[in-house]
Amino acid sequence: MVGRMKVAAVQFDIVTGQIERNLEAVLAALQRLRRHNVCLTVLPEMWSSGFDYRSLGQLAQKTPEVLETIARHPAALDMVVVGSLPESCDGDVYNTTFVLDRGRIAGRYRKLHLFSPMCENRYMRAGNTALVVETAAGRIGVAICYDLRFPELFRRLSLDGADLICLSAQWPRPRQDHWQTLIKARAIENQVFMVAANNCGMQGKLDFFGNSMIVSPRGEVAAEGGDKPCEILAEIDGEAQQAYRQAIPAWKDRRPDVYGVLT
């Protein structure tokens, strides 16, 4: 990533099973962010439908149409848009983040770690590969919600060249302190920017607190949302990131010969 650019995260109250309403909210948010010359926008996890398990297969069938609508939108043609959607493939459903780079699908990432306490593993199939992709916003890595608890994935993304990691989530209120702590930790330990978008509002009995965050490689919070629908944005600086990596050369000082993982 070279120079400065504006990045954003969108949080809104996802209406379970209501694709048209959710799509309308996202398109409106993208249009507002376009006026601020945002280069990259991150959307929440399963933003088109929520976790409507009973209708998941049918909702996943509509994802290509959702992606096409986003890709045609004028705002999306000016930016990179990252967000998780249900994906249907060979009879299975995946929780998949699509990376749209100015209207083109540049990459897709299927969630590696399915959250068994919410039965995600009963209704979806896990992916098997990480994703770092070159975009107009630089080399970005992708993760989804529960992935945040697995630092090995974020180290892999960073070793593969990610300067910025996008996280789509539906993270509920009882674990808000974990959310804030882990996002900062992943940014600090890998010296990367983190752009994390969370859901807000109620889904069934679960209360989602928002608190979407943009965090620098130093662990500084550049922007943070409250618990209501909003867009947060911040300017990030790739040159400052490189200077910080030189000042604290953690990458050069690593000892994979000792701990033997993730060379």
Side-chain angles (χ1 to χ4, degrees):
M1 185 175 63
V2 178
R4 298 174 178 268
M5 67 176 178
K6 290 182 179 178
V7 299
V10 175
Q11 66 181 44
F12 68 103
D13 189 353
I14 298 169
V15 184
T16 304
Q18 299 297 312
I19 290 178
E20 291 185 5
R21 288 182 60 181
N22 297 323
L23 182 57
E24 181 180 357
V26 166
L27 292 176
L30 293 178
Q31 187 59 40
R32 288 190 292 269
L33 291 169
R34 184 191 188 198
R35 301 189 192 110
H36 294 280
N37 298 315
V38 167
C39 185
L40 176 140
T41 298
V42 181
L43 306 174
E45 180 181 19
M46 297 287 283
W47 66 260
S48 70
S49 63
F51 285 92
D52 186 354
Y53 287 139
R54 289 177 298 180
S55 304
L56 200 57
Q58 296 175 345
L59 293 166
Q61 293 293 335
K62 297 181 180 180
T63 289
E65 182 180 343
V66 170
L67 289 168
E68 184 178 352
T69 301
I70 292 287
R72 291 198 313 263
H73 194 272
L77 294 173
D78 291 336
M79 67 176 73
V80 178
V81 180
V82 181
S84 154
L85 297 163
E87 179 195 20
S88 178
C89 181
D90 297 331
D92 292 313
V93 176
Y94 295 86
N95 185 342
T96 301
T97 288
F98 292 87
V99 179
L100 289 174
D101 186 356
R102 294 162 295 180
R104 174 184 65 90
I105 297 178
R108 68 186 71 197
Y109 161 73
R110 293 169 172 170
K111 188 176 183 180
L112 291 180
H113 306 99
L114 300 180
F115 192 52
S116 56
M118 287 182 59
C119 300
E120 195 175 357
N121 58 323
R122 290 178 53 190
Y123 295 93
M124 296 182 177
R125 181 174 290 274
N128 291 303
T129 57
L131 175 69
V132 174
V133 59
E134 188 73 48
T135 72
R139 287 183 63 80
I140 64 174
V142 180
I144 302 174
C145 202
Y146 189 39
D147 287 336
L148 187 59
R149 294 185 180 275
F150 298 87
E152 300 91 342
L153 172 59
F154 291 79
R155 181 50 52 101
R156 177 76 273 158
L157 296 175
S158 300
L159 286 169
D160 288 345
D163 297 309
L164 182 152
I165 297 177
C166 302
L167 179 75
S168 298
Q170 289 206 41
W171 198 284
R173 188 176 296 277
R175 296 180 287 278
Q176 183 172 355
D177 57 335
H178 295 187
W179 167 261
Q180 295 166 324
T181 299
L182 291 172
I183 290 172
K184 291 179 183 179
R186 299 293 89 88
I188 293 167
E189 67 197 6
N190 294 296
Q191 298 179 318
V192 296
F193 291 98
M194 290 284 298
V195 184
N198 195 23
N199 184 26
C200 64
M202 299 294 298
Q203 285 209 21
K205 297 180 180 180
L206 291 174
D207 180 7
F208 293 92
F209 57 87
N211 196 197
S212 297
M213 299 175 71
I214 300 171
V215 178
S216 80
R218 295 175 179 267
E220 299 165 339
V221 179
E224 188 171 10
D227 61 0
K228 299 292 190 294
C230 67
E231 298 95 45
I232 63 169
L233 63 153
E235 185 175 78
I236 64 176
D237 187 344
E239 293 180 1
Q241 177 186 31
Q242 292 306 313
Y244 180 60
R245 287 182 171 184
Q246 292 174 8
I248 301 183
W251 286 99
K252 181 174 70 70
D253 295 337
R254 292 174 66 243
R255 290 291 308 275
D257 59 308
V258 175
Y259 27 81
V261 293
L262 294 180
T263 59

